[in-house]
Amino acid sequence: MADAMADVRRQIEVSGIVQGVGFRPYVYRLAIGRHLGGTIRNTPAGVTIEIQGPAESVQDFVERLPTEAPPLARITGVTVTELPCNGDLDFRIVHSHEGEEVRTLISPDVAICADCLQELFHPHDRRYRYPFINCTNCGPRFTIIRDIPYDRPSTSMAAFLMCPACQAEYKNPLDRRFHAQPNACWDCGPRVELWDQSGEKITCADPIAEAVAALRDGRIVAVKGLGGFHLAADATNPAAVALLRQRKRRVEKPFAVMVPDLAATREICELDDAAITALQSIQRPIVLLPKKSPNAIPDEVAPFNRYLGIFLPYTPLHHLLFAIGGFKALVMTSGNLSEEPIATDNREAVKRLDGLADYFLVHNRDILLRCDDSVVRVTGGVTRQLRRSRGFVPVPVFLKNDQPSVLAVGGELKNTICLVKGKNAFLSQHIGDLENAESYGFFHEAIEHLERILEIHPEIIAYDLHPDYFSTKWALQQMTLQQNGMVPRRSGIKLAGVQHHHAHIASCMAENHLEGRVIGFALDGTGYGTDGKIWGGEVLVAGYEDFERAAHFEYVPLAGGAAAIREPWRMAVSYLAHHFGREFLKFDIPFVRQLNQKKVDLILRMMEKGVNSPLTSSCGRLFDAVAALAGIRQQVNYEAQAAIELEMSMASETLSSENNFYPLDLVRHDDGWIIGTRPLFEALLDDLLRDVNVAAISARFHNGLVEAFAQLAMLLRKKNQLNRVCLSGGTFHNIFLSQRLETRLSQAGFEVFTQKEVPAGDGGLSLGQALVAAARFAHGNP
């Protein structure tokens, strides 16, 4: 008993996301509640606590510390060491120290919390209807930070001097706003203004109410949010939606829809518990949900699609728009022209959104780094990332083993970068398609900003093998600049080229903490192969260091190169000519009858002579060919549109029969299996001649892929004694294919690993690149 009452002193190092999330006031309350003395301070590694008092009370403190942490905190490590006692009787929060290696983890931007939301609409609260209300449990973080430690002078809130009332909250460890860096109010904080098309301020009593009036009138309003501007329109107004499409040059790609609450969501979409959890999470992602029919949202919002991208308000300004306007739903799409990065600066928005927006609802809190909304899809009760951005970045993917410092620069489309150090892999927010000049500029910004705030100086740069990718060119340029002494911070840098589909499988392995070798299905539209051809329907036997290509779809010409991606009918012609020669022109099916004979003859001659017809094994292009033959889509207006609509065409009654599938050949060659597609097209043509409906054709095609891949997995298990299967690549964003294949493989006794924390598509590519590069250099095989 005497030992339990004797004073002891402990130093506790806590690493993880513990700054700017209310962790220090939480520790303060935990300490004074037990009458303990000591200190807590932010460090570059997290926080350091020194705690002193009776041994029993100190032990209770240590045990409770990680279990009762604030909701935004994410503790990744706790180490406790003994110290000699001193005279500390009180517990104090002390200032940050400098000079230590930076390893702190930064919190992402998160949705307004319930406490702030209640204050926002309380008429007697001093922040009543203040559009920037926040506390340590909510609001901006990542998009307002310049440097670390995360203190107000290092954020875009440095421009706003706190009033006495806000300063008192900020200094009070018992207050919810203690050291809330964005803390502000009507007297001292950012303000909202309404601007016209030319960027002139509109003098009015309530800019938000005026913006609401414009939205009600069918106008387009650019609204500045956390990570950039949205273009907003009344989602229940078909004319407003059509106008937005026309101005944004977004012909058919679905728009995201923000609704005020769950009740409004239930009126337009099907909901289950997992979807509700995703919608209400602090990250507030866009969640793809099945549409109800009928509903109040016109088809123009998401044409030819059974799903809507729904999200709930996540800033005070969003809540005020709905409260004042009473809207059932607002289209809230990224503030840009199609494929450009989202606008962030007020004047930049006026310039770049000229002709798109009628009004600009702006504010004077700078966004230091753009960050698009995240997009997720719930399948089988699991929330899976389609676009990992706001709310999730820069929370790291936690790795199984320590890694060297690596920068991986991703691919060309849906680009993200990844910085790895130790057991943390930091993926950037969604950057976009680098063939766009503005996106390529953002790519540079993201690298510079993340390297600075994470204080990671990469030893290795990993890149895709495709020689024409802008990310690849950038990586190779760093070596040239280093050799010429032009970039001192890149001194001694090493480069590693990583094959696209190998990176996909490595990404899945990394997320699932796998080691050794696996069977990997890497299915997508495009990836540069080691033979110089365009891969995309790949079955690999892979580890991090290397891989072997165990199987792939047979090669067919990509008729007209990139034009075949935009015009799926070209791939249908390519497959038909590949299997049946020019005889296919005599087939009495709708697809052949509607072909432009001049164009077809030109394409056939190009393929026969090998002109602008690179060979591809792409699974995405196979989807395109089937969609075109089935009459679904001859041209696309956005990436993967034909494949998405082929999936959407399946009716529920067609999904039950797994045995009703189009066959595929598995032909053994010296270097692996070739997946032959002639039996598939023979069966598909027979269905077309018999006028079989599109829903049945789609289901049989999907089931055929599942059956062929399951057979391949069993052949490879027998040959390689491997029982673990990884599924990755953009094709696995197809719910039916991914779920049906996972079920089929599990029934066959395989351990199946998929991706949920990072996208299966190219948004997760950089993670795999980083792990492959690290493994190669670790084993002396760059």
Side-chain angles (χ1 to χ4, degrees), residues 229-247:
F229 278 81
H230 285 112
L231 288 169
D234 184 350
T236 64
N237 183 338
V241 175
L243 179 64
L244 180 56
R245 282 206 177 279
Q246 176 190 341
R247 291 182 178 179

Side-chain angles (χ1 to χ4, degrees), residues 20 24 134 144 150-153 155 157 170 179-183:
R24 287 181 297 172
N134 69 85
I144 64 169
Y150 175 64
D151 290 323
R152 193 174 179 110
T155 74
M157 288 299 295
Y170 184 85
H179 280 208
Q181 306 307 337
N183 189 32

Side-chain angles (χ1 to χ4, degrees), residues 244-309:
L244 180 56
R245 282 206 177 279
Q246 176 190 341
R247 291 182 178 179
K248 194 172 162 69
R249 303 176 200 166
R250 188 164 173 162
V251 182
E252 291 173 326
K253 190 175 182 180
F255 284 135
V257 176
M258 182 177 283
V259 295
D261 49 37
L262 282 182
T265 308
R266 286 193 177 94
E267 290 182 10
I268 57 177
C269 289
E270 303 290 345
L271 277 177
D272 59 20
D273 289 344
I276 291 171
T277 298
L279 281 168
Q280 292 185 316
S281 67
I282 58 173
Q283 294 85 7
R284 289 293 197 279
I286 298 168
V287 184
L288 299 191
L289 298 172
K291 294 178 183 176
K292 280 185 176 177
S293 184
N295 68 67
I297 307 299
D299 289 339
E300 289 88 346
V301 170
F304 311 109
N305 201 307
R306 297 206 309 264
Y307 286 74
L308 282 172

Side-chain angles (χ1 to χ4, degrees), residues 158-175:
F160 301 95
L161 183 66
M162 279 185 279
C163 67
C166 286
Q167 187 72 19
E169 295 169 332
Y170 184 85
K171 288 185 173 181
N172 182 2
L174 299 179
D175 194 282

Side-chain angles (χ1 to χ4, degrees), residues 541-619:
V541 172
Y544 292 115
E545 186 180 353
D546 58 18
F547 74 95
E548 66 176 271
R549 193 185 192 195
H552 62 86
F553 280 108
E554 62 182 314
Y555 284 124
V556 295
L558 190 67
I565 300 172
R566 298 187 297 270
E567 300 178 355
W569 68 268
R570 291 172 179 258
M571 287 311 305
V573 167
S574 180
Y575 272 102
L576 292 177
H578 176 74
H579 291 307
F580 309 108
R582 288 181 177 253
E583 286 297 307
F584 85 86
L585 293 170
K586 300 176 184 177
F587 294 167
D588 186 22
I589 57 174
F591 173 78
V592 172
R593 291 196 295 268
Q594 69 185 14
L595 286 173
N596 181 309
Q597 292 304 314
K598 275 190 175 181
K599 284 187 177 180
V600 171
D601 186 61
L602 176 62
I603 285 171
L604 290 173
R605 284 189 281 117
M606 286 171 57
M607 290 192 297
E608 289 161 359
K609 294 179 180 180
V611 176
N612 196 21
S613 300
L615 295 180
T616 182
S617 60
S618 167
C619 187

Side-chain angles (χ1 to χ4, degrees), residues 304-625:
F304 311 109
N305 201 307
R306 297 206 309 264
Y307 286 74
L308 282 172
I310 300 292
F311 59 145
L312 298 179
Y314 56 85
T315 71
L317 182 56
H318 294 154
H319 283 280
L320 290 167
L321 284 170
F322 280 102
I324 296 169
F327 298 106
K328 290 184 177 180
L330 290 172
V331 166
M332 292 286 258
T333 188
S334 54
N336 54 13
L337 277 174
S338 290
E339 311 311 328
E340 290 184 358
I342 190 170
T344 55
D345 177 76
N346 294 344
R347 291 298 168 188
E348 172 207 10
V350 171
K351 181 179 178 180
R352 287 181 50 205
L353 304 181
D354 180 35
L356 276 74
D358 298 303
Y359 296 96
F360 295 83
L361 191 61
V362 303
H363 59 73
N364 57 341
R365 185 181 67 200
D366 289 342
I367 298 171
L368 299 183
L369 198 64
R370 68 193 85 227
C371 197
D372 282 270
D373 295 313
S374 295
V375 184
V376 303
R377 197 170 188 177
V378 178
T379 62
V382 177
T383 300
R384 300 185 188 279
Q385 294 281 352
L386 301 183
R387 184 171 75 194
R388 186 179 186 269
S389 207
R390 177 193 49 77
F392 297 95
V393 174
V395 176
V397 175
F398 296 105
L399 305 173
K400 184 174 183 180
N401 299 312
D402 283 327
Q403 305 293 336
S405 300
V406 182
L407 166 63
V409 295
E412 185 83 344
L413 304 179
K414 297 181 173 60
N415 179 271
T416 64
I417 65 166
C418 180
L419 279 164
V420 171
K421 187 173 185 181
K423 292 183 179 179
N424 296 323
F426 300 92
L427 276 81
S428 73
Q429 68 275 51
H430 170 77
I431 293 172
D433 298 349
L434 298 189
E435 57 199 13
N436 177 281
E438 286 81 4
S439 295
Y440 187 55
F442 179 25
F443 168 80
H444 284 253
E445 290 174 20
I447 291 173
E448 182 180 343
H449 192 88
L450 279 179
E451 285 187 352
R452 183 173 69 253
I453 66 171
L454 298 173
E455 280 290 322
I456 295 177
H457 305 289
E459 308 163 36
I460 304 164
I461 297 178
Y463 60 91
D464 192 275
L465 292 181
H466 199 302
D468 294 331
Y469 280 3
F470 283 98
S471 56
T472 298
K473 291 178 179 179
W474 181 89
L476 297 175
Q477 186 183 39
Q478 302 312 296
M479 180 62 78
T480 303
L481 293 173
Q482 171 199 295
Q483 291 168 348
N484 294 332
M486 298 174 68
V487 188
R489 77 178 193 275
R490 301 285 185 219
S491 178
I493 201 79
K494 300 182 281 279
L495 298 183
V498 180
Q499 200 281 322
H500 190 93
H501 301 94
H502 185 200
H504 272 309
I505 300 307
S507 177
C508 185
M509 291 178 65
E511 178 180 334
N512 288 285
H513 290 189
L514 301 181
E515 296 179 317
R517 296 180 81 73
V518 300
I519 299 168
F521 287 86
L523 309 178
D524 61 8
T526 300
Y528 193 80
T530 54
D531 59 1
K533 297 182 175 67
I534 300 171
W535 292 9
E538 311 306 312
V539 188
L540 310 180
V541 172
Y544 292 115
E545 186 180 353
D546 58 18
F547 74 95
E548 66 176 271
R549 193 185 192 195
H552 62 86
F553 280 108
E554 62 182 314
Y555 284 124
V556 295
L558 190 67
I565 300 172
R566 298 187 297 270
E567 300 178 355
W569 68 268
R570 291 172 179 258
M571 287 311 305
V573 167
S574 180
Y575 272 102
L576 292 177
H578 176 74
H579 291 307
F580 309 108
R582 288 181 177 253
E583 286 297 307
F584 85 86
L585 293 170
K586 300 176 184 177
F587 294 167
D588 186 22
I589 57 174
F591 173 78
V592 172
R593 291 196 295 268
Q594 69 185 14
L595 286 173
N596 181 309
Q597 292 304 314
K598 275 190 175 181
K599 284 187 177 180
V600 171
D601 186 61
L602 176 62
I603 285 171
L604 290 173
R605 284 189 281 117
M606 286 171 57
M607 290 192 297
E608 289 161 359
K609 294 179 180 180
V611 176
N612 196 21
S613 300
L615 295 180
T616 182
S617 60
S618 167
C619 187
R621 302 291 79 80
L622 178 61
F623 269 83
D624 287 350

